[in-house]
Amino acid sequence: MTLVVHPDPQEPAGGFAFLELPDGSLQGDTTTVAVFDAYGERWLRQAVARNDRDLNWQTERFEFGPYRIYRHEGADWVRIGPEIVNWIEEYAPLRIAVGGAAYNVIWPDDVAPRARAAELGDIRPVARPRPVVATPAPAPR
């Protein structure tokens, strides 16, 4: 069985994706999703810090959801949002667990994270060297 990741065509700004599984892979109306970074050997968890990627990965498994299961065109589809998509880099080797079954996936480059909103922050001036201007000598009286 395979899992395929697709961008959400209704969200051109990114941040949303569909996980496609063969028909009958998922039971019920909802499911959970867990994401394991196979390279860094860490689990994605609920966002803690907006700007620090390392704080949002941990050693213990975390399951997102529940997510609604859509059945369409002979497949089971699960729509995930920015809580997952925004933290995954393109071509990352992942193990995604959906409904208890794990799938090895390389994250595609066409599923982009959503741009973050502007945030308040410090204004840090940059010190630049000033040109040295020779002061003219006072004129004799």
Side-chain angles (χ1 to χ4, degrees), residues 108-123:
D109 62 350
D110 60 349
V111 179
R114 183 172 288 261
R116 299 182 196 268
E119 294 180 359
L120 293 175
D122 297 335
I123 297 176

Side-chain angles (χ1 to χ4, degrees), residues 7-132:
D8 185 347
Q10 295 179 348
E11 297 288 344
F16 292 87
F18 281 103
L19 306 177
E20 177 189 1
L21 295 110
D23 189 27
S25 300
L26 301 173
Q27 304 300 321
D29 295 329
T30 62
T31 188
T32 58
V33 175
V35 180
F36 181 75
D37 178 6
Y39 181 73
E41 297 184 352
R42 302 169 298 170
W43 292 94
L44 182 63
R45 68 173 173 177
Q46 198 87 27
V48 174
R50 293 189 61 157
N51 295 325
D52 193 352
R53 296 185 82 77
D54 293 333
L55 287 178
N56 297 308
W57 294 88
Q58 65 180 3
T59 56
E60 287 126 28
R61 182 179 173 133
F62 181 86
E63 293 195 356
F64 292 90
Y67 293 103
R68 184 173 168 205
I69 300 170
Y70 300 92
R71 290 173 171 68
H72 177 67
E73 295 182 359
D76 294 342
W77 299 77
V78 178
R79 183 177 187 250
I80 57 175
E83 68 279 2
I84 294 176
V85 175
N86 282 358
W87 301 103
I88 302 175
E89 297 176 358
E90 60 189 22
Y91 305 118
L94 305 171
R95 189 171 314 124
I96 299 178
V98 182
Y103 304 90
N104 292 324
V105 174
I106 301 295
W107 193 258
D109 62 350
D110 60 349
V111 179
R114 183 172 288 261
R116 299 182 196 268
E119 294 180 359
L120 293 175
D122 297 335
I123 297 176
R124 299 179 188 224
V126 177
R128 295 190 176 131
R130 293 184 182 177
V132 177

